């Protein structure tokens, strides 16, 4: 399978929205507001200080997406990348698509001297946890607590 990863553009907005709607439904049984989601993704696509989106493609067809954000770590005195909003089309799961996206982000971390990569996954999303474990990520040391308004 010849997967190519590239930074998303505004032309990818529709597929990013569609995949995020599917991801929220599948992983957390949530229904997102399409208008709010579209505006949020648009903001990220237009301002890399907010988010950077990537797409995985086969023959110019998007089959997976991923978003990163930057966070300053005062403990390490370095920027860290957060992986968020990951989705791989059902027909392509288990075929190395996420690994290609992840390796692309690892390349950015190395090339641009970021301190590392962080991500969180819902504690009930066992499939995602297994994928991350296979890639050598260890979630034992970190749990996310949040209160979103």
């Amino acid at each position: 399978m010849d997967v190519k990863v590239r930074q998303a553009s505004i032309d990818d907005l529709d597929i990013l929205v569609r995949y995020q709607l599917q991801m929220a439904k599948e992983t957390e049984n949530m229904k997102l507001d399409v208008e709010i989601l579209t505006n949020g993704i648009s903001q990220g696509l237009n301002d890399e200080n907010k988010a950077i989106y990537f797409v995985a493609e086969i023959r110019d067809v998007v089959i997976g997406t991923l978003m990163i954000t930057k966070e300053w770590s005062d403990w390490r005195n370095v920027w860290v990348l957060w992986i968020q909003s990951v989705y791989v089309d059902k027909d392509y799961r288990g075929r190395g698509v996420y690994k290609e996206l992840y390796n692309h982000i690892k390349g950015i971390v190395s090339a641009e001297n970021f301190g590392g990569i962080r991500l969180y996954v819902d504690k009930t999303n066992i499939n995602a946890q297994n994928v991350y474990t296979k890639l050598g990520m260890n979630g034992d040391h970190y749990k996310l607590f949040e209160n979103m308004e």
Side-chain angles (χ1 to χ4, degrees), residues 70-146:
K70 295 184 283 188
E71 176 183 83
W72 181 252
S73 173
D74 56 351
W75 286 13
R76 294 187 175 101
N77 190 32
V78 69
W79 287 101
V80 175
L81 293 182
W82 272 94
I83 294 177
Q84 301 178 51
S85 299
V86 176
Y87 190 81
V88 175
D89 188 283
K90 287 181 180 182
D91 292 338
Y92 292 92
R93 292 182 190 161
R95 296 169 65 185
V97 176
Y98 178 74
K99 184 176 183 179
E100 292 295 327
L101 285 160
Y102 180 71
N103 286 338
H104 188 83
I105 303 308
K106 279 179 37 178
I108 292 170
V109 167
S110 177
E112 298 184 25
N113 296 316
F114 285 97
I117 300 171
R118 290 183 177 154
L119 72 126
Y120 67 90
V121 62
D122 185 275
K123 64 184 176 184
T124 63
N125 192 340
I126 303 302
N127 289 336
Q129 291 175 37
N130 290 336
V131 169
Y132 303 141
T133 300
K134 285 180 188 176
L135 290 171
M137 298 185 85
N138 179 351
D140 293 340
H141 67 287
Y142 193 84
K143 293 186 184 216
L144 178 73
F145 295 87
E146 66 180 21

Side-chain angles (χ1 to χ4, degrees), residues 20-22 24-26 28-34 37:
Q20 291 314 299
L21 290 169
Q22 288 174 230
K25 178 69 175 157
E26 286 177 29
E28 299 180 40
N29 199 29
M30 290 178 61
K31 184 174 181 181
L32 301 177
D33 182 288
V34 175
L37 178 62

Side-chain angles (χ1 to χ4, degrees), residues 54-66:
F54 294 89
V55 295
E57 298 177 316
I58 295 179
R59 293 179 296 284
D60 298 325
V61 175
V62 175
I63 58 169
T65 63
L66 175 148

